[in-house]
Amino acid sequence: MTRSAPARDLETRTADTLATLATPAVDVWVATASAGGAPHLVPVSLAWVDERVVIAVEASSVTARNLAASRVARLAVGPTRDVLMIDSVLEKAVGVADAEELATAYVGQADWDPRRSEGYVFLVLRPVRVQAWREANEMAGRTLMRDGAWLVARHDGGETR
Amino acid sequence: MTRSAPARDLETRTADTLATLATPAVDVWVATASAGGAPHLVPVSLAWVDERVVIAVEASSVTARNLAASRVARLAVGPTRDVLMIDSVLEKAVGVADAEELATAYVGQADWDPRRSEGYVFLVLRPVRVQAWREANEMAGRTLMRDGAWLVARHDGGETR
């Protein structure tokens, strides 16, 4: 095994995480499950809008149907050795033609426009827990958000925790 | 959106897929679900042994427990825009100390040895469906294996289908 870089601190991981989520054309792995316990997993583009992960999928897709029923998704962003894991809950599902502000934000970050296709919905996912790590030495201290609250003090007008 | 490369044919995708699965230190996203429908997702190292995906996880982990109960996992290998999706079933779970041949094969491909840690099991996952695509123009023709059978003729002594 190659020698790992030093473990990043909470502030650095949080800053890296927010930068990753704001990256143009970044993708997210979306894991959901059916009521019967069948796992599903797909890669899709994401937009990071008002501290929410926004994805666009077909309303008839397994992902949309699973989320409508269970309201929960586990998300992963980044390669397997620089990973960001997000446990999230569905806040809102809305047809892409009925959400102009959201569509503008989504298209501004993603590299495609779901309004050009039929039957797509935006799923707005609210992070509940966020973890980030690179190698084994970063497993400790990997939690950046717990119960929907960032653990680091934020300087963007948000509450200091 | 950048212009896509031409779509690969079935033979090329299958060869690329087998090469990816045999890559040293390659990782896999493992999506499972609880009986209650809670999705789980983790990145782990894989070994490709006798046409099976072999992973090593703690016996007490969510992934091991979900698989013991449901027997199914959906796997993803590769970046989101050169992806390999594998629907799989659990064929066998065995303590890492009790599977010398499997351990030798696993350590030969992965970049760590789970026998140096306590409480790990090998989970041997049999692919049932394999799909591979890069960009949107490869969504057609993405299925490489169906019902456990590769769609392309193989020249390794396997049955020609």
Side-chain angles (χ1 to χ4, degrees):
Chain A
M1 195 177 293
T2 51
R3 184 178 297 273
S4 295
R8 295 166 296 163
D9 64 16
L10 177 65
E11 287 70 19
T12 305
R13 290 194 216 197
T14 305
D16 289 350
T17 293
L18 293 169
T20 296
L21 289 169
T23 306
V26 67
D27 291 327
V28 55
W29 292 101
V30 180
T32 57
S34 71
H40 195 60
L41 178 63
V42 289
V44 295
S45 300
L46 82 77
W48 179 241
V49 183
D50 295 335
E51 301 259 314
R52 302 292 182 264
V53 173
V54 180
I55 63 172
V57 297
E58 289 183 76
S60 61
S61 65
V62 174
T63 296
R65 287 183 284 127
N66 283 349
L67 268 162
S70 76
R71 319 294 292 184
V72 295
R74 186 160 155 92
L75 313 174
V77 182
T80 53
R81 298 185 190 201
D82 183 10
V83 75
L84 177 53
M85 302 294 315
I86 303 175
D87 289 294
S88 68
V89 297
L90 181 66
E91 189 171 82
K92 186 165 72 170
V94 56
V96 294
D98 304 322
E100 193 177 331
E101 211 170 313
L102 207 50
T104 302
Y106 182 88
V107 172
Q109 182 174 351
D111 61 353
W112 72 298
D113 187 341
R115 292 172 298 183
R116 294 191 193 153
S117 305
E118 284 296 313
Y120 275 76
V121 289
F122 287 122
L123 302 180
V124 179
L125 299 162
R126 181 171 60 80
V128 175
R129 187 175 68 164
V130 176
Q131 299 184 313
W133 70 89
R134 288 181 177 157
E135 300 282 347
N137 68 328
E138 286 202 354
M139 291 306 281
R142 66 186 180 277
T143 301
L144 310 183
M145 173 189 283
R146 189 180 292 133
D147 297 332
W150 294 102
L151 302 188
V152 76
R154 301 282 300 283
H155 304 287
D156 56 5
E159 191 179 346
T160 299
R161 297 171 196 273
Chain B
M1 195 177 292
T2 52
R3 186 178 295 271
S4 296
R8 295 167 296 164
D9 64 16
L10 177 64
E11 288 71 18
T12 305
R13 290 195 216 196
T14 304
D16 289 351
T17 293
L18 293 168
T20 296
L21 289 169
T23 305
V26 67
D27 291 327
V28 56
W29 292 102
V30 181
T32 57
S34 71
H40 194 61
L41 178 63
V42 289
V44 295
S45 300
L46 81 79
W48 178 241
V49 184
D50 295 335
E51 301 258 315
R52 302 292 183 265
V53 173
V54 180
I55 63 172
V57 296
E58 290 183 75
S60 61
S61 64
V62 175
T63 296
R65 287 183 284 127
N66 282 350
L67 269 163
S70 77
R71 319 293 293 180
V72 295
R74 186 161 156 93
L75 313 174
V77 183
T80 53
R81 299 187 188 200
D82 183 8
V83 74
L84 177 53
M85 301 295 315
I86 303 175
D87 289 294
S88 68
V89 297
L90 181 66
E91 188 172 81
K92 185 166 72 173
V94 56
V96 294
D98 305 322
E100 194 178 329
E101 210 169 313
L102 208 50
T104 302
Y106 182 87
V107 172
Q109 183 174 350
D111 60 353
W112 72 298
D113 187 343
R115 293 172 299 183
R116 293 191 193 152
S117 305
E118 285 294 315
Y120 274 76
V121 289
F122 288 123
L123 302 180
V124 180
L125 299 163
R126 181 171 61 81
V128 174
R129 188 176 67 164
V130 176
Q131 299 184 313
W133 70 90
R134 287 180 179 158
E135 300 282 348
N137 68 327
E138 286 203 354
M139 291 306 281
R142 66 186 179 277
T143 301
L144 311 183
M145 172 190 281
R146 188 179 294 134
D147 298 333
W150 294 100
L151 302 188
V152 76
R154 301 282 300 282
H155 303 287
D156 57 4
E159 190 179 345
T160 298
R161 296 172 195 274

